[in-house]
Amino acid sequence: MAFTSHSKLPELNTATILLVGMQGIGKHRLAGALLELNTSYSLQVRTATHLPLPAENSESRPRIDFVVFLLDANNNMSISKTVASAKELDVSYFLGRACFVVLNATSESLHCTDMSNITGLCDAHDSPMLCGSLQDENQRKCLARKLLCQTEVSSGFKHAVSPMLIQATKHTYEFMEPL
Amino acid sequence: MATPVVRRKSPSRQSSVGKTKPAEKSGSYSIKEAVRFFTSDSSNRKVRGNPALTLAIQEVEVTAKREGLSQKVIGQLVDVAASAKFPDSISSRLIKSLLPSDKIPQDAIVKAISWMCTNNPSNEIQSLLVRWVILTYDLLDDLDDLHALYGVLFHFIENDALCPHVCHLLYLLTRKEDVLAFRVQRLLSLQKRVGVQPYIIGLLSVYKMYRPHLVSLVTPPTQRVFFRQTDRLWSAEVHKAKERIQRRLDGPDSAMERLQSSVTDGRSRAKKKKLDVIPTVSTSLLSLDGSGDAGYQLTGAHHGRVPVQHIKSFDDLLKNMDRLELPSQIAAVLDSPYLQHALCCHTEQHVVQRLSFWLYQVLHQELLDYSSEGPNCRAEWLLQMLINFTDFLHEDVPVCENFLVKYLHTWNGSDYRPYILRLITRFRIYPFQKLNDLLLEPLRSLFFCSSVFFKCQVIYTLTELLRNYVSIELPRHADMVCFQAVKEASAIQAGDTVLPQNQLSVFDVHVDNFQALHTIQELTEYVDRISTLALLIEKDHVLLMHYVLEFFELVSCLHLRYGVPFVYVPSSGSFYRALFSSNAMVCSRLCKIICNYKDEFQALKKMVSIEDSDSLFTSNMRDGIQLLNQYILDLSNALWRNKAFLSGNKTKVFDIPVTALQTTGVKHINEAFSIHLHMAMLPFANSFLEQTQPEGKKVHPSLIRSSERDAYLEFLKRERLDGVVAFINTFIKRNQTTPHKSQAAS
């Protein structure tokens, strides 16, 4: 049984992030950067190479507040794995409780697929796409802060703001016409 | 008869006294005599133990360094040096001191090349001669004759010692007609023999620029320096000579100097490295007469153009505007304020096209394909230049918009942030849906997951974007649509008549006919929406509040200041958050904004009665008036009339059942938001009471009785809370209980 965002009760002052990405993509480096940030609540980071999560231990697993898909634009495998994993995630997460992090998005010459495929993936799941890099310290920190901002909203630490409220400010796409 | 005496005396002293000697003797031993010594056939040509030679060469060196040599002397000395009359050591010293006092005559160069062809001078002297031409290239009086020798010079590339220098010289000389297939072949076969050399690549890349179809060569993107400068000391001397000549030409005005400095390469090395990305101003075409007069004596059809290097003053620029030959590398205009003027007035689209191609290519290369970590200072410099350029044009470069849209999609929100946001403010006006998809959506997704400071920057950027729209883009859009309609109509009427020139935009962009006002309306609503939510997330951060208020300060005077027939009243979300803020600045500015709206509506009302606008506008206004009246009522009830929670007011926020109010246990709850009890105003009330009441007395804001309210308002005005005072003076009829409702409401 796949986990959903409301199947478990939240713990007091705890937020849990699940990082999903193929092996070697830098999940643990990102997790380290996330944990280094000072938070007023206790932050847990879990990692997985793919979804769905195994059935064993599912009872002891805490509620997942936010899911981050990590993918590398230069790596075809990571893209296809992300596509497969995203299908397994419960739909309630795509109401602002999940996001895609694209690594190496700017070095276009090395991409193994067109960028529009990746943006298409994010749009199909109606989730924000963040671009960044895990290579150097500052970039990692910058990315971690952004993820934390979203996690705070989705785990309810921001008073009177829900992920849906933020999603509601999105003006729907009608076309993707270039200039 | 003084000279022989000196000559005879000098040998004994020469070794001990050294170089200063001839300098002080120069009064008696002149450059003429030195030249006579070199040119006469009877001179002693031994190097060792020949004082006459030592004296002559030193005289030449010192004079050259001090004031430069005249054209005639240079001609004679080139002959001497290149004919190998004297040993190489003397010849090379002579060549190195061929610094002009004014200009270098072309004949001297031609002579030097003819001597090179005789194979009389050694390889070293030949290479020195070529290097001399390269270094003093800017000082030549004309290039046509030298250019006529292009084919001859090209043969020297087979000489391995000369090849790098000859390539450099050809690189400077090449014009479009010089690029021929067989030359490309020769260069490629040479490259096969000696391997990939930067100087050959350099020359080939110029060829490629002129005739891309002849050269199928991939230039490595990292390679930027094709020709290394080896003679530091020599080039420093040449540089000094240039400065000397520059000084003598009576002072051009300062902006021109900047143009010139980029022409004459007068930059410090560190800066130059930084500037690498934008090329220096240079034209392959240089015509005769470098004296800087306007009205050139131009001969021949080929010389119908004036190269930018010859433009010495703004008057010159104006006189020669229509025959100006823009630099070979068009991107150089980004760096030169004068050329930007020239570009604006240039009627041909291809110039702008060239610039666009270059910009897109370089932006891509520096920002998107830049692989190594850390900031790229060249990209920063380029973006800054681009910002200056768009500021100058008052419009965005379309290709830059194009790039920006692409870049924003993969932007991480921190790279080059100030530059990117600044460029966004110059965006053109598009239908809102397009604007949203291309620009606002990427910004929004970053907006909601970034710090409060980023949020402030985005709100500020959108404010500036709106300002750009209402002040520049909106009128231009209307004019463009009009212009296009006229153009199409005239094209249909008379097919081949000359179409009117586009005066509105530097760039030839087709504009869709859409309701630009709708874009502005939706943009305003959009900013209102996201800023309300941002205030909620950031718990009314004061800095963010400041930027949101700044936005509404702009919106509240769109009609009166910018003549835009449009009004948008802030949504209740932002309004009430500002009203109940704990900061007096926020309250005061909110009051001022409401006052602005009143004037705005009154002006609009007058306008509507004169001319009938579309139904959307009138309904928009009706809703606006309703909302505004409610705000005014709430504000005056809360701030002044102590009636906040009294039933029967039918307001949004204060409509709370009495029983619920009683459970709060607050006494005099209707007064809780008055100007002396409002959370933001309390400190002011306290300091007012401390000033007015006797010392030591226990004070409470309720001590400010209605009779003292005028004094209190005066006090608030002194504390720079003008907004509150302006609001009360505008909307409250003093000494009466009924509020003076907005005139617009009627």
Side-chain angles (χ1 to χ4, degrees), chain B residues 488-628:
Chain B
E488 273 165 29
S490 63
I492 291 165
Q493 273 182 4
D496 52 357
T497 45
V498 182
L499 293 173
Q501 195 59 49
N502 182 359
Q503 302 286 345
L504 299 163
S505 164
V506 179
F507 306 97
D508 192 18
V509 188
H510 187 265
V511 176
D512 296 329
N513 190 359
F514 62 94
Q515 281 277 329
L517 219 49
H518 283 204
T519 304
I520 289 180
Q521 185 191 352
E522 293 203 55
L523 178 67
T524 320
E525 281 170 18
Y526 182 86
V527 177
D528 188 9
R529 211 159 48 228
I530 63 167
S531 54
T532 308
L533 191 50
L535 284 172
L536 196 61
I537 293 172
E538 298 298 340
K539 300 197 174 76
D540 297 333
H541 196 284
V542 174
L543 197 61
L544 184 62
M545 200 52 137
H546 160 72
Y547 283 103
V548 174
L549 288 171
E550 200 172 83
F551 176 75
F552 282 115
E553 275 164 357
L554 173 68
V555 174
S556 70
C557 60
L558 281 186
H559 179 59
L560 285 176
R561 197 174 296 166
Y562 297 98
V564 182
F566 163 75
V567 71
Y568 176 82
V569 181
S571 66
S572 38
S574 5
F575 175 82
Y576 289 111
R577 291 200 84 80
L579 172 58
F580 299 130
S581 151
S582 58
N583 193 308
M585 175 272 287
V586 177
C587 289
S588 169
R589 284 171 69 185
L590 183 75
C591 291
K592 184 74 196 139
I593 288 171
I594 297 295
C595 294
N596 287 350
Y597 271 117
K598 183 200 162 229
D599 297 341
E600 187 89 346
F601 269 111
Q602 281 174 336
L604 275 170
K605 195 93 181 163
K606 255 179 224 159
M607 198 195 73
V608 170
S609 59
I610 295 165
E611 49 181 296
D612 243 351
S613 270
D614 59 319
S615 59
L616 176 120
F617 174 63
T618 42
S619 74
N620 186 354
M621 236 179 96
R622 204 172 40 243
D623 295 348
I625 289 174
Q626 221 170 9
L627 197 57
L628 187 71

Side-chain angles (χ1 to χ4, degrees), chain A residues 106 131 139 146 169 172 175, chain B residues 368 412 433 437 441 444:
Chain A
T106 48
C131 299
Q139 297 257 12
K146 286 191 184 120
T169 57
T172 46
F175 61 97
Chain B
L368 277 180
N412 64 5
Q433 187 64 51
D437 294 0
E441 180 53 29
R444 188 199 69 94

Side-chain angles (χ1 to χ4, degrees), chain B residues 334 340 359 383-398 400-401 422-428 468 472 476 507:
Chain B
L334 285 183
Q340 290 179 1
L359 264 180
L383 289 170
Q384 185 56 53
M385 274 297 158
L386 206 53
I387 289 166
N388 293 349
F389 186 56
T390 51
D391 279 354
F392 168 77
L393 289 180
H394 282 293
E395 81 172 304
D396 206 353
V397 186
C400 162
E401 262 174 27
R422 188 86 171 76
L423 280 172
I424 288 175
T425 62
R426 278 266 172 236
F427 228 68
R428 269 158 213 278
N468 173 37
I472 297 170
R476 175 158 53 215
F507 306 97

Side-chain angles (χ1 to χ4, degrees), chain A residues 139-157:
Chain A
Q139 297 257 12
R140 226 170 18 233
K141 227 178 214 167
C142 169
L143 188 59
R145 272 204 206 97
K146 286 191 184 120
L147 293 177
L148 212 59
C149 254
Q150 300 188 50
T151 311
E152 279 170 18
V153 172
S154 74
S155 46
F157 293 136

